[in-house]
Coordinates of all heavy atoms in Angstrom, one line a residue:
M1 N 84.0 104.6 89.6 CA 84.8 103.7 90.4 C 85.3 104.4 91.6 O 85.8 105.5 91.5 CB 85.9 103.1 89.6 CG 86.8 102.2 90.3 SD 88.0 101.4 89.2 CE 89.0 100.6 90.3
S2 N 85.2 103.8 92.8 CA 85.6 104.4 94.0 C 87.1 104.3 94.2 O 87.7 103.3 93.8 CB 84.9 103.8 95.2 OG 85.4 104.2 96.4
D3 N 87.7 105.3 94.9 CA 89.2 105.2 95.2 C 89.4 104.4 96.5 O 90.5 104.2 96.9 CB 89.8 106.5 95.3 CG 90.1 107.2 93.9 OD1 90.1 106.4 93.0 OD2 90.3 108.4 93.9
V4 N 88.3 104.0 97.2 CA 88.4 103.3 98.4 C 88.8 101.9 98.1 O 88.1 101.1 97.5 CB 87.1 103.4 99.3 CG1 87.2 102.5 100.5 CG2 86.8 104.8 99.7
L5 N 89.9 101.4 98.6 CA 90.4 100.1 98.4 C 89.7 99.1 99.4 O 89.5 97.9 99.0 CB 91.9 100.0 98.6 CG 92.7 101.0 97.6 CD1 94.2 101.0 98.0 CD2 92.5 100.6 96.2
I6 N 89.5 99.5 100.6 CA 88.9 98.7 101.6 C 87.7 99.4 102.2 O 87.9 100.5 102.7 CB 89.9 98.3 102.7 CG1 91.1 97.6 102.1 CG2 89.3 97.4 103.8 CD1 92.3 97.5 103.1
P7 N 86.5 98.8 102.2 CA 85.3 99.5 102.6 C 85.1 99.6 104.1 O 84.1 99.3 104.6 CB 84.2 98.7 101.9 CG 84.7 97.3 101.9 CD 86.2 97.5 101.6
C8 N 86.2 100.0 104.8 CA 86.1 100.1 106.3 C 85.5 101.4 106.7 O 85.9 102.4 106.2 CB 87.5 99.9 106.8 SG 87.7 100.2 108.6
T9 N 84.6 101.4 107.6 CA 83.9 102.6 108.0 C 84.6 103.2 109.3 O 84.2 104.3 109.7 CB 82.4 102.4 108.4 OG1 82.4 101.4 109.5 CG2 81.7 101.8 107.2
G10 N 85.6 102.5 109.8 CA 86.3 103.0 111.0 C 85.5 102.9 112.3 O 85.6 103.7 113.2
C11 N 84.6 101.9 112.3 CA 83.8 101.7 113.5 C 84.5 101.2 114.7 O 84.1 101.2 115.8 CB 82.6 100.8 113.2 SG 83.0 99.1 112.9
Y12 N 85.7 100.6 114.5 CA 86.5 100.0 115.5 C 85.9 98.8 116.2 O 86.4 98.4 117.3 CB 87.0 101.0 116.6 CG 88.0 102.0 116.1 CD1 87.7 103.0 115.2 CD2 89.3 101.8 116.5 CE1 88.7 103.9 114.7 CE2 90.3 102.7 116.0 CZ 90.0 103.7 115.1 OH 91.0 104.5 114.6
D13 N 84.9 98.1 115.6 CA 84.4 96.9 116.2 C 85.4 95.8 116.2 O 85.3 94.9 117.0 CB 83.1 96.4 115.4 CG 81.9 97.3 115.6 OD1 81.9 98.0 116.6 OD2 80.9 97.2 114.9
C14 N 86.4 95.8 115.3 CA 87.4 94.8 115.1 C 88.5 94.8 116.1 O 89.3 93.9 116.1 CB 87.9 94.9 113.7 SG 88.7 96.5 113.3
V15 N 88.6 95.8 116.9 CA 89.7 95.9 117.9 C 89.1 95.7 119.3 O 87.9 96.0 119.5 CB 90.4 97.3 117.8 CG1 91.1 97.4 116.4 CG2 89.5 98.5 117.9
P16 N 89.9 95.3 120.2 CA 91.4 95.2 120.2 C 91.8 93.9 119.4 O 91.2 92.8 119.6 CB 91.8 95.1 121.6 CG 90.7 94.5 122.3 CD 89.4 95.0 121.6
C17 N 92.9 94.1 118.7 CA 93.6 92.9 118.1 C 94.5 92.3 119.1 O 95.2 93.0 119.9 CB 94.4 93.5 116.9 SG 95.6 92.4 116.2
P18 N 94.6 91.0 119.1 CA 95.5 90.3 120.0 C 97.0 90.7 120.0 O 97.7 90.7 121.0 CB 95.4 88.8 119.7 CG 94.1 88.7 119.0 CD 93.9 90.0 118.3
V19 N 97.4 91.2 118.8 CA 98.8 91.7 118.7 C 98.9 93.2 118.7 O 100.0 93.7 118.6 CB 99.6 91.0 117.5 CG1 99.7 89.5 117.6 CG2 98.9 91.4 116.2
G20 N 97.8 93.9 118.8 CA 97.8 95.3 118.9 C 97.8 96.1 117.6 O 98.0 97.3 117.6
I21 N 97.4 95.5 116.6 CA 97.2 96.2 115.3 C 95.9 97.0 115.4 O 94.9 96.5 115.8 CB 97.0 95.2 114.1 CG1 98.3 94.4 114.0 CG2 96.8 96.0 112.8 CD1 98.1 93.2 113.0
V22 N 96.0 98.3 115.1 CA 94.8 99.2 115.1 C 94.3 99.1 113.6 O 94.7 99.9 112.8 CB 95.1 100.6 115.5 CG1 93.9 101.4 115.6 CG2 95.8 100.6 116.9
I23 N 93.5 98.1 113.4 CA 93.1 97.7 112.0 C 92.5 98.9 111.3 O 92.9 99.2 110.1 CB 92.1 96.5 112.1 CG1 92.9 95.3 112.7 CG2 91.5 96.2 110.7 CD1 92.0 94.2 113.2
P24 N 91.5 99.7 111.8 CA 91.0 100.8 111.1 C 92.0 101.8 110.7 O 91.9 102.4 109.6 CB 90.0 101.4 112.0 CG 89.6 100.3 112.9 CD 90.8 99.5 113.1
E25 N 93.1 102.0 111.4 CA 94.1 103.0 111.1 C 95.0 102.4 109.9 O 95.3 103.2 109.0 CB 95.0 103.3 112.3 CG 94.4 104.1 113.3 CD 95.3 104.4 114.5 OE1 96.5 104.1 114.5 OE2 94.7 105.0 115.5
V26 N 95.3 101.1 109.9 CA 96.0 100.5 108.8 C 95.2 100.7 107.5 O 95.7 101.1 106.5 CB 96.3 99.0 109.1 CG1 96.9 98.3 107.9 CG2 97.2 98.9 110.3
F27 N 93.9 100.4 107.6 CA 93.0 100.5 106.4 C 92.9 101.9 106.0 O 92.9 102.2 104.8 CB 91.6 99.9 106.7 CG 91.6 98.4 106.8 CD1 90.4 97.8 107.3 CD2 92.6 97.6 106.5 CE1 90.3 96.4 107.3 CE2 92.6 96.2 106.5 CZ 91.4 95.6 107.0
A28 N 92.8 102.9 106.9 CA 92.6 104.3 106.5 C 93.9 104.8 105.8 O 93.8 105.5 104.7 CB 92.4 105.1 107.7
I29 N 95.1 104.4 106.2 CA 96.3 104.7 105.6 C 96.4 104.1 104.2 O 96.7 104.7 103.2 CB 97.5 104.4 106.4 CG1 97.6 105.3 107.7 CG2 98.8 104.5 105.6 CD1 98.6 105.0 108.7
Y30 N 96.1 102.8 104.1 CA 96.1 102.1 102.9 C 95.1 102.7 101.8 O 95.5 102.8 100.7 CB 95.9 100.6 103.1 CG 96.0 99.8 101.9 CD1 97.3 99.5 101.3 CD2 94.9 99.2 101.2 CE1 97.5 98.8 100.2 CE2 95.1 98.4 100.1 CZ 96.4 98.2 99.6 OH 96.5 97.4 98.5
N31 N 94.0 103.1 102.3 CA 93.0 103.7 101.4 C 93.4 105.0 100.8 O 92.8 105.5 99.9 CB 91.6 103.9 102.1 CG 90.9 102.6 102.2 OD1 91.1 101.7 101.4 ND2 89.9 102.5 103.1
R32 N 94.5 105.6 101.4 CA 95.0 106.9 100.8 C 95.9 106.6 99.6 O 96.3 107.6 99.0 CB 95.8 107.6 101.9 CG 95.0 108.1 103.1 CD 95.9 108.8 104.1 NE 95.1 109.2 105.2 CZ 95.6 110.0 106.1 NH1 96.8 110.5 106.1 NH2 94.8 110.4 107.1
L33 N 96.3 105.4 99.4 CA 97.2 105.1 98.3 C 96.8 105.7 97.0 O 97.7 106.3 96.3 CB 97.4 103.5 98.2 CG 98.5 103.0 97.4 CD1 99.8 103.5 97.8 CD2 98.4 101.4 97.4
P34 N 95.6 105.5 96.5 CA 95.3 106.1 95.2 C 95.5 107.6 95.1 O 96.0 108.2 94.1 CB 93.8 105.7 94.9 CG 93.6 104.6 95.8 CD 94.5 104.8 97.0
A35 N 95.1 108.3 96.1 CA 95.2 109.8 96.1 C 96.6 110.3 96.5 O 97.1 111.3 95.9 CB 94.2 110.4 97.1
N36 N 97.3 109.6 97.4 CA 98.6 110.1 97.9 C 99.8 109.5 97.2 O 100.9 110.0 97.4 CB 98.7 109.9 99.4 CG 97.7 110.8 100.2 OD1 97.0 111.6 99.7 ND2 97.7 110.6 101.5
G37 N 99.6 108.4 96.5 CA 100.8 107.8 95.9 C 101.5 106.9 96.9 O 101.3 107.0 98.1
Y38 N 102.4 106.0 96.4 CA 103.0 105.1 97.2 C 104.0 105.7 98.2 O 103.9 105.3 99.4 CB 103.8 104.1 96.3 CG 104.5 103.0 97.1 CD1 103.8 101.9 97.6 CD2 105.9 103.1 97.4 CE1 104.4 101.0 98.4 CE2 106.5 102.1 98.2 CZ 105.8 101.1 98.7 OH 106.4 100.1 99.4
E39 N 104.8 106.6 97.9 CA 105.8 107.1 98.8 C 105.2 107.8 100.0 O 105.6 107.6 101.1 CB 106.7 108.1 98.1 CG 107.7 107.4 97.1 CD 108.5 106.3 97.7 OE1 109.1 106.5 98.8 OE2 108.7 105.3 97.0
N40 N 104.2 108.6 99.8 CA 103.5 109.3 100.9 C 102.7 108.4 101.8 O 102.7 108.5 103.0 CB 102.5 110.4 100.4 CG 103.3 111.6 99.7 OD1 104.4 111.9 100.1 ND2 102.7 112.2 98.7
T41 N 102.1 107.4 101.2 CA 101.4 106.4 101.9 C 102.3 105.5 102.7 O 102.1 105.2 103.9 CB 100.5 105.5 101.0 OG1 99.6 106.4 100.2 CG2 99.7 104.5 101.8
K42 N 103.4 105.1 102.1 CA 104.4 104.3 102.8 C 105.0 105.0 104.0 O 105.2 104.4 105.0 CB 105.5 103.9 101.8 CG 106.7 103.1 102.4 CD 106.4 101.7 102.4 CE 107.6 100.9 102.7 NZ 107.6 100.1 103.9
F43 N 105.2 106.3 103.9 CA 105.7 107.1 105.0 C 104.8 107.1 106.2 O 105.2 106.8 107.3 CB 105.9 108.6 104.5 CG 106.3 109.5 105.7 CD1 107.6 109.6 106.2 CD2 105.3 110.3 106.3 CE1 107.9 110.4 107.2 CE2 105.6 111.2 107.3 CZ 106.9 111.2 107.8
L44 N 103.5 107.2 105.9 CA 102.5 107.1 107.0 C 102.4 105.7 107.6 O 102.4 105.5 108.8 CB 101.1 107.5 106.5 CG 101.0 109.0 106.1 CD1 99.6 109.2 105.4 CD2 101.1 109.9 107.3
Y45 N 102.5 104.7 106.7 CA 102.4 103.3 107.1 C 103.6 102.9 108.0 O 103.4 102.3 109.0 CB 102.4 102.4 105.9 CG 102.3 101.0 106.1 CD1 101.1 100.4 106.5 CD2 103.4 100.2 106.1 CE1 101.0 99.0 106.8 CE2 103.4 98.8 106.3 CZ 102.1 98.2 106.7 OH 102.1 96.9 107.0
D46 N 104.8 103.4 107.6 CA 106.0 103.1 108.4 C 106.0 103.7 109.8 O 106.7 103.2 110.6 CB 107.2 103.6 107.6 CG 107.6 102.7 106.4 OD1 107.0 101.5 106.4 OD2 108.4 103.1 105.6
R47 N 105.1 104.6 110.0 CA 105.1 105.3 111.4 C 104.2 104.5 112.3 O 104.1 104.8 113.5 CB 104.6 106.7 111.2 CG 105.6 107.5 110.4 CD 105.2 108.9 110.3 NE 105.2 109.6 111.6 CZ 104.7 110.8 111.8 NH1 104.0 111.4 110.9 NH2 104.8 111.3 113.0
L48 N 103.4 103.5 111.8 CA 102.6 102.7 112.7 C 103.4 101.8 113.6 O 104.4 101.3 113.2 CB 101.7 101.8 111.8 CG 100.6 102.4 111.0 CD1 100.0 101.4 110.0 CD2 99.5 103.0 111.9
N49 N 102.9 101.6 114.8 CA 103.6 100.7 115.8 C 103.5 99.3 115.4 O 104.4 98.5 115.5 CB 103.0 100.9 117.2 CG 103.5 102.2 117.8 OD1 104.5 102.7 117.5 ND2 102.6 102.8 118.6
K50 N 102.3 98.9 115.0 CA 102.0 97.5 114.5 C 101.5 97.6 113.1 O 100.6 98.4 112.8 CB 101.0 96.8 115.4 CG 101.4 96.6 116.8 CD 102.5 95.5 116.8 CE 102.9 95.2 118.3 NZ 103.7 94.0 118.3
K51 N 102.0 96.8 112.2 CA 101.7 96.8 110.8 C 101.0 95.6 110.4 O 100.8 94.6 111.1 CB 103.0 97.0 110.0 CG 103.7 98.3 110.3 CD 105.0 98.4 109.6 CE 105.7 99.7 109.8 NZ 106.1 99.9 111.2
A52 N 100.6 95.6 109.1 CA 99.8 94.4 108.6 C 100.5 93.1 108.7 O 99.9 92.1 108.9 CB 99.4 94.7 107.1
D53 N 101.9 93.1 108.6 CA 102.6 91.9 108.6 C 102.7 91.3 110.0 O 103.1 90.2 110.2 CB 104.0 92.0 108.0 CG 104.9 92.9 108.8 OD1 104.4 93.8 109.5 OD2 106.1 92.8 108.6
D54 N 102.2 92.0 111.0 CA 102.1 91.5 112.4 C 100.9 90.6 112.6 O 100.7 90.0 113.6 CB 102.1 92.7 113.4 CG 103.4 93.4 113.5 OD1 104.5 92.7 113.6 OD2 103.4 94.6 113.4
C55 N 100.0 90.6 111.6 CA 98.7 89.9 111.8 C 99.0 88.4 111.9 O 99.7 87.8 111.1 CB 97.8 90.2 110.5 SG 96.3 89.3 110.5
L56 N 98.3 87.8 112.9 CA 98.4 86.3 113.1 C 97.4 85.6 112.3 O 97.4 84.3 112.3 CB 98.2 86.0 114.6 CG 99.2 86.7 115.5 CD1 98.7 86.4 117.0 CD2 100.6 86.2 115.3
R57 N 96.5 86.3 111.6 CA 95.4 85.6 110.9 C 94.5 84.7 111.8 O 94.0 83.7 111.4 CB 95.9 84.9 109.7 CG 96.7 85.8 108.7 CD 97.1 85.1 107.5 NE 96.1 85.4 106.5 CZ 96.2 85.1 105.3 NH1 97.2 84.4 104.8 NH2 95.3 85.4 104.4
C58 N 94.3 85.2 113.0 CA 93.5 84.4 114.0 C 92.0 84.5 113.7 O 91.2 83.7 114.1 CB 93.8 84.9 115.4 SG 93.2 86.6 115.8
G59 N 91.6 85.6 112.9 CA 90.2 85.7 112.6 C 89.2 86.4 113.6 O 88.1 86.6 113.3
R60 N 89.8 86.7 114.7 CA 88.9 87.3 115.8 C 88.3 88.6 115.2 O 87.1 88.8 115.4 CB 89.8 87.7 117.0 CG 89.0 88.4 118.1 CD 89.9 89.0 119.1 NE 89.1 89.8 120.1 CZ 88.6 91.0 119.8 NH1 88.7 91.6 118.7 NH2 87.9 91.6 120.8
C61 N 89.0 89.4 114.5 CA 88.5 90.7 114.0 C 87.4 90.5 113.0 O 86.5 91.2 112.9 CB 89.7 91.5 113.4 SG 90.6 90.6 112.1
E62 N 87.6 89.4 112.2 CA 86.6 89.2 111.1 C 85.2 88.8 111.7 O 84.2 89.1 111.1 CB 87.1 88.1 110.2 CG 88.3 88.6 109.3 CD 88.8 87.5 108.4 OE1 88.3 86.4 108.4 OE2 89.8 87.9 107.8
K63 N 85.2 88.1 112.8 CA 84.0 87.7 113.5 C 83.3 88.9 114.0 O 82.1 88.9 114.2 CB 84.3 86.7 114.6 CG 84.8 85.4 114.2 CD 85.1 84.5 115.3 CE 85.8 83.2 114.8 NZ 86.7 82.7 115.7
L64 N 84.0 90.0 114.3 CA 83.4 91.2 114.9 C 83.1 92.3 113.9 O 82.4 93.2 114.2 CB 84.4 91.8 116.0 CG 84.8 90.9 117.1 CD1 85.9 91.5 118.0 CD2 83.5 90.6 118.0
C65 N 83.6 92.2 112.7 CA 83.5 93.2 111.7 C 82.1 93.3 111.1 O 81.6 92.4 110.5 CB 84.5 92.9 110.5 SG 84.4 94.2 109.2
S66 N 81.4 94.4 111.4 CA 80.1 94.6 110.9 C 80.0 94.8 109.4 O 78.9 94.6 108.8 CB 79.4 95.8 111.6 OG 80.2 97.0 111.4
Q67 N 81.1 95.1 108.7 CA 81.1 95.2 107.3 C 81.5 93.9 106.6 O 81.5 93.8 105.4 CB 82.2 96.3 106.9 CG 81.7 97.7 106.8 CD 81.3 98.2 108.2 OE1 80.1 98.4 108.4 NE2 82.2 98.4 109.1
K68 N 81.8 92.9 107.4 CA 82.1 91.6 106.9 C 83.3 91.6 105.9 O 83.4 90.9 104.9 CB 81.0 90.9 106.2 CG 79.7 90.8 107.0 CD 79.9 90.0 108.2 CE 78.6 89.9 109.0 NZ 78.8 89.8 110.4
I69 N 84.3 92.4 106.3 CA 85.6 92.5 105.5 C 86.5 91.3 105.8 O 86.6 90.9 107.0 CB 86.3 93.9 105.9 CG1 85.4 95.1 105.5 CG2 87.7 93.9 105.2 CD1 85.9 96.4 106.0
G70 N 87.1 90.8 104.8 CA 88.0 89.7 105.0 C 89.4 90.3 105.5 O 90.3 90.4 104.7
I71 N 89.4 90.7 106.7 CA 90.5 91.5 107.3 C 91.8 90.7 107.2 O 92.8 91.3 106.8 CB 90.2 91.9 108.8 CG1 89.0 92.8 108.8 CG2 91.4 92.5 109.4 CD1 88.4 93.1 110.2
S72 N 91.8 89.4 107.5 CA 93.1 88.7 107.5 C 93.7 88.7 106.1 O 94.9 88.9 105.9 CB 92.9 87.2 107.9 OG 92.5 87.2 109.3
S73 N 92.9 88.5 105.1 CA 93.4 88.5 103.7 C 93.8 89.9 103.3 O 94.8 90.0 102.6 CB 92.4 87.9 102.7 OG 91.3 88.6 102.7
M74 N 93.1 90.9 103.7 CA 93.5 92.3 103.4 C 94.8 92.6 104.1 O 95.6 93.3 103.5 CB 92.4 93.2 103.8 CG 91.1 93.1 103.0 SD 91.3 93.1 101.2 CE 92.3 94.6 100.9
M75 N 95.0 92.2 105.3 CA 96.3 92.4 106.0 C 97.4 91.8 105.2 O 98.5 92.4 105.1 CB 96.2 91.9 107.4 CG 95.4 92.7 108.3 SD 96.2 94.3 108.6 CE 94.8 95.1 109.5
F76 N 97.2 90.6 104.7 CA 98.3 89.9 103.9 C 98.6 90.8 102.7 O 99.7 91.0 102.3 CB 97.8 88.5 103.5 CG 98.8 87.8 102.7 CD1 99.9 87.2 103.3 CD2 98.6 87.6 101.3 CE1 100.9 86.6 102.5 CE2 99.5 87.0 100.6 CZ 100.7 86.4 101.1
E77 N 97.5 91.2 102.0 CA 97.7 92.0 100.8 C 98.4 93.3 101.1 O 99.3 93.8 100.3 CB 96.4 92.3 100.1 CG 95.8 91.1 99.4 CD 94.5 91.4 98.7 OE1 94.3 92.5 98.2 OE2 93.6 90.5 98.7
I78 N 98.0 94.0 102.2 CA 98.7 95.3 102.5 C 100.1 95.0 102.9 O 101.0 95.8 102.4 CB 97.9 95.9 103.7 CG1 96.5 96.4 103.3 CG2 98.7 97.1 104.3 CD1 95.6 96.8 104.4
A79 N 100.4 94.0 103.6 CA 101.8 93.7 104.0 C 102.7 93.4 102.7 O 103.8 93.9 102.6 CB 101.9 92.5 104.9
E80 N 102.1 92.7 101.8 CA 102.8 92.5 100.5 C 103.1 93.8 99.8 O 104.2 93.9 99.2 CB 102.0 91.5 99.6 CG 101.9 90.1 100.1 CD 103.2 89.3 99.8 OE1 103.6 89.3 98.7 OE2 103.7 88.8 100.8
E81 N 102.2 94.7 99.7 CA 102.4 95.9 99.0 C 103.2 96.9 99.7 O 104.0 97.7 99.1 CB 101.0 96.5 98.6 CG 101.1 97.6 97.7 CD 99.9 97.9 96.9 OE1 98.9 97.2 97.0 OE2 99.9 98.9 96.2
M82 N 103.1 97.0 101.0 CA 103.7 98.1 101.8 C 105.1 97.7 102.4 O 105.8 98.6 102.8 CB 102.8 98.6 102.9 CG 101.4 99.1 102.4 SD 101.6 100.3 101.1 CE 102.2 101.7 102.0
E83 N 105.4 96.4 102.5 CA 106.7 96.1 103.1 C 107.8 96.0 102.1 O 107.6 95.9 101.0 CB 106.5 94.7 103.8 CG 105.5 94.7 104.9 CD 105.8 95.6 106.0 OE1 106.9 95.8 106.4 OE2 104.8 96.2 106.6

């Protein structure tokens, strides 16, 4: 079983986000959760300028994502867990 929670390759095809979320950075930090634990991951997450809860769920990023990740739903899940 992989420790990767979100299969994002960091290609940045999904940005720019209309509200300025750097989606691959949010995913990279969240993917550290299994290895780093909640407190360390939360520390990194809290340093982001725009977080998952800023997502408008407009779907623009999902249309551009070459991995076909359900970004809007992942942002909702990350916001629930990290906020």
Side-chain angles (χ1 to χ4, degrees):
M1 181 173 170
S2 173
D3 282 343
V4 174
L5 302 173
I6 302 168
C8 175
T9 62
C11 68
Y12 284 76
D13 286 346
C14 57
V15 294
C17 165
V19 296
I21 301 169
V22 184
I23 297 161
E25 289 180 7
V26 173
F27 286 171
I29 289 170
Y30 186 69
N31 279 339
R32 293 179 182 191
L33 191 58
N36 290 357
Y38 180 79
E39 292 302 318
N40 292 329
T41 304
K42 178 85 167 117
F43 174 77
L44 295 171
Y45 180 78
D46 285 344
R47 296 179 71 194
L48 293 169
N49 288 328
K50 295 288 185 172
K51 298 176 180 62
D53 66 339
D54 292 309
C55 178
L56 300 175
R57 301 185 98 175
C58 67
R60 180 196 174 282
C61 54
E62 292 177 1
K63 292 176 186 149
L64 300 172
C65 179
S66 57
Q67 274 63 250
K68 307 298 182 210
I69 298 170
I71 297 171
S72 296
S73 62
M74 292 310 307
M75 286 292 170
F76 179 77
E77 289 182 33
I78 292 169
E80 289 283 306
E81 188 157 356
M82 301 307 291
E83 299 299 324

